[in-house]
Amino acid sequence: MFKKFIVYFFLYILTVGIILSVYFLAPNENYNFPFLRFIIVSFATILLIKYFIYMVISPWYDAVLAYRKRKMLKTGGFKEKVSVLVPARNEETGVLLTIRALLESTYKNLEIIVIDNASTDNTYDNVKALIKDYENSIEGSSENNIKIVCLKEKTPGKGHALNKGISRAKGEIIISIDADCFVPPDTIENFVNHFQDPKVMAAVGNVKIGNTQTILGVVQYLEFLFSFYFKKCDSILGSIYIIGGAAGAFRKSIFKEIGGYSVTNITEDIDLTFRIQYAGFKIVYAEDAVVYTEGASDLKSLMKQRLRWKRGRLQTFMDYQPMFFSTNKIHKKFLSWFILPLAIFGDMQLFMELFFIIFVYIYSYLTNDYSSFLSGIIVVTSMFMVQILFDRRVKKRARLLILAPIGWLLFYASTFVEFSALIKTFMSYLKKEEVEWQVWKREGVFAEEPKEQIILSRDEMILSKEDVFLSKDNLNLMK
């Protein structure tokens, strides 16, 4: 906590200094770089148009959702069986917490399918022990029991594991949850409610970073906060093209229509989402289906994660080139003509970001003109304010208010990681090198908790109504 205070204090001093310099330093007109300034302003303006559209449309999500719910209520109840797939590769630290959380779900027409994917640790044994103890604890009782199954998939690869789970799933709705996640009790039910609309074939949940005790965790928390808030706009305009593996829900029939997960694309979730969009099916954002995930615990691990994301997205873009500027009636025009081209444009801008940043700092120092930084501060702070005012699921409003003025500086860490991942993506692609799945030291989705609350011994895995893991302290962490 003290380290955070020091960092925040330093960033505040820097931000206040820049703001004051705009008003008190006289510009030095001896230096002029009109062409470079024109390029920077042009790139920034195009991307700002995107964020402006998102900030204007996203607050309307609740009104659109309320309208959809009024229509859905006319269809009556919706209690389809749900299968939750939990692929786990060397996840002995977090998978037990994930299963325990799912067992506390308010939605009981549920089965949990854990797929051990060629783990070399105690993942499989721990899950089997938990299942045995759970079954013993509910022996003789059949009311609202949730069935748990643990499968083994010897072929490494998340796609293989998920496809095996789908083949065994009995539910009409299939939900994928990563094995390092915490799932609040109402998440599954909230996911299912969105499928009352018969046109909805898939939904992406609201993923939040749980381990925010470090500056790196805070940066990831802010990244997810903004990206998932903007999915409100994507949901309204039908332009969602990434359903992350941490929280995705699908009608089982969609897999019969377009096939299962890719086993060749390292980002099988992006590939599947693109196929759903390519086939013209409807995807929505389920803001109320909250899932807490564990962010990367160190910079090296985060860079590996983003490299995989960048490389997988590049492969997906190449596989589905016809989606770009598509005139096909089944493809959403906002996605094909605006979002996807801007994703490529954003990578172009990111490729030059380091040079832009160096130029802006040197230019500002030489000319005493720090107005470009002031505009960045205003834009990022405005994004924070929109979140605070219009996102009813933002719990830590005081923290956001504290971070709002210095958020633009915190995002430099994210920019560095994304820039590095982009360079490595192109280098690995040109060299035809394979990108491996990132592995980092697992500390648990809520790393603030005592370790013994996360890593449970065989004797501590009995689940009964008297041993519910959702203590008051656990619930406070969710808030």
Side-chain angles (χ1 to χ4, degrees), residues 103-381:
L103 287 170
E104 294 302 315
S105 173
T106 57
Y107 195 88
K108 298 302 181 181
N109 191 12
L110 178 70
E111 66 172 356
I112 302 170
I113 303 176
V114 182
I115 311 99
D116 178 79
N117 186 208
S119 294
T120 57
D121 63 1
N122 295 320
T123 296
Y124 182 78
D125 292 337
N126 287 353
V127 172
K128 291 294 287 185
L130 185 150
I131 293 174
K132 181 179 179 181
D133 291 335
Y134 171 70
E135 290 177 346
N136 289 339
S137 70
I138 62 171
E139 189 174 359
S141 172
S142 59
E143 184 181 357
N144 293 330
N145 288 342
I146 296 173
K147 183 176 177 60
I148 317 175
V149 176
C150 188
L151 310 176
K152 267 199 172 185
E153 173 53 56
K154 295 181 180 180
T155 306
K158 195 173 178 181
H160 288 289
L162 287 165
N163 288 337
K164 183 157 192 171
I166 292 169
S167 68
R168 291 285 298 272
K170 297 178 181 178
E172 293 301 315
I173 305 295
I174 293 179
I175 299 175
S176 67
I177 300 290
D178 283 346
D180 60 348
C181 292
F182 176 84
V183 187
D186 63 347
T187 293
I188 303 301
E189 186 168 4
N190 291 338
F191 253 136
V192 172
N193 287 338
H194 288 269
F195 287 89
Q196 290 189 61
D197 181 353
K199 293 182 180 179
V200 172
M201 299 302 289
V204 56
N206 187 359
V207 182
K208 297 181 180 294
I209 296 294
N211 52 325
T212 59
Q213 77 280 10
T214 65
I215 294 295
L216 189 62
V218 171
V219 170
Q220 293 175 83
Y221 172 84
L222 293 176
E223 280 187 297
F224 277 57
L225 186 71
F226 285 117
S227 63
F228 280 89
Y229 179 74
F230 288 150
K231 283 187 186 293
K232 292 182 175 185
C233 175
D234 287 325
S235 184
I236 292 172
L237 299 177
S239 56
I240 294 173
Y241 72 92
I242 300 177
I243 302 176
F250 311 87
R251 290 192 192 274
K252 189 176 183 180
S253 58
I254 194 68
F255 298 107
K256 297 178 182 178
E257 293 277 352
I258 65 172
Y261 283 89
S262 171
V263 295
T264 57
N265 191 322
I266 196 168
T267 50
E268 70 295 318
D269 46 5
I270 300 179
D271 176 88
L272 177 64
T273 315
F274 253 81
R275 262 184 292 143
I276 295 173
Q277 285 283 11
Y278 194 78
F281 292 114
K282 185 174 182 178
I283 304 173
V284 298
Y285 172 49
E287 181 204 17
D288 51 357
V290 177
V291 172
Y292 294 84
T293 190
E294 179 183 359
S297 55
D298 57 79
L299 189 60
K300 183 179 179 181
S301 300
L302 182 62
M303 293 176 73
K304 286 183 177 180
Q305 181 194 63
R306 300 309 163 89
L307 171 60
R308 182 180 69 83
W309 288 2
K310 288 285 186 186
R311 178 65 184 273
R313 195 181 71 161
L314 174 63
Q315 180 181 339
T316 305
F317 281 176
M318 296 183 69
D319 290 344
Y320 296 93
Q321 292 180 40
M323 279 287 290
F324 289 81
F325 302 107
S326 172
T327 57
N328 193 320
K329 293 182 179 179
I330 66 173
H331 296 155
K332 298 294 184 180
K333 298 302 179 286
F334 185 72
L335 174 63
S336 293
W337 287 78
F338 186 73
I339 296 299
L340 294 181
L342 266 186
I344 299 296
F345 184 85
D347 282 344
M348 292 171 56
Q349 184 264 347
L350 181 63
F351 182 76
M352 295 182 282
E353 185 80 12
L354 180 62
F355 310 105
F356 285 169
I357 290 174
I358 293 173
F359 167 76
V360 170
Y361 272 90
I362 294 175
Y363 174 82
S364 299
Y365 175 76
L366 293 175
T367 63
N368 288 338
D369 180 7
Y370 292 89
S371 57
S372 57
F373 292 102
L374 182 61
S375 62
I377 294 170
I378 292 172
V379 169
V380 175
T381 303

Side-chain angles (χ1 to χ4, degrees), residues 372-425:
S372 57
F373 292 102
L374 182 61
S375 62
I377 294 170
I378 292 172
V379 169
V380 175
T381 303
S382 298
M383 291 167 62
F384 273 91
M385 291 301 110
V386 169
Q387 284 262 306
I388 294 170
L389 293 173
F390 295 105
D391 192 344
R392 58 189 172 86
R393 292 198 167 265
V394 171
K395 302 296 184 184
K396 301 176 181 179
R397 298 183 187 273
R399 175 188 291 188
L400 283 180
L401 285 171
I402 293 172
L403 295 178
I406 59 173
W408 69 284
L409 283 167
L410 289 172
F411 282 144
Y412 274 132
S414 173
T415 300
F416 169 75
V417 171
E418 293 290 332
F419 174 80
S420 175
L422 182 66
I423 299 300
K424 290 181 179 179
T425 292

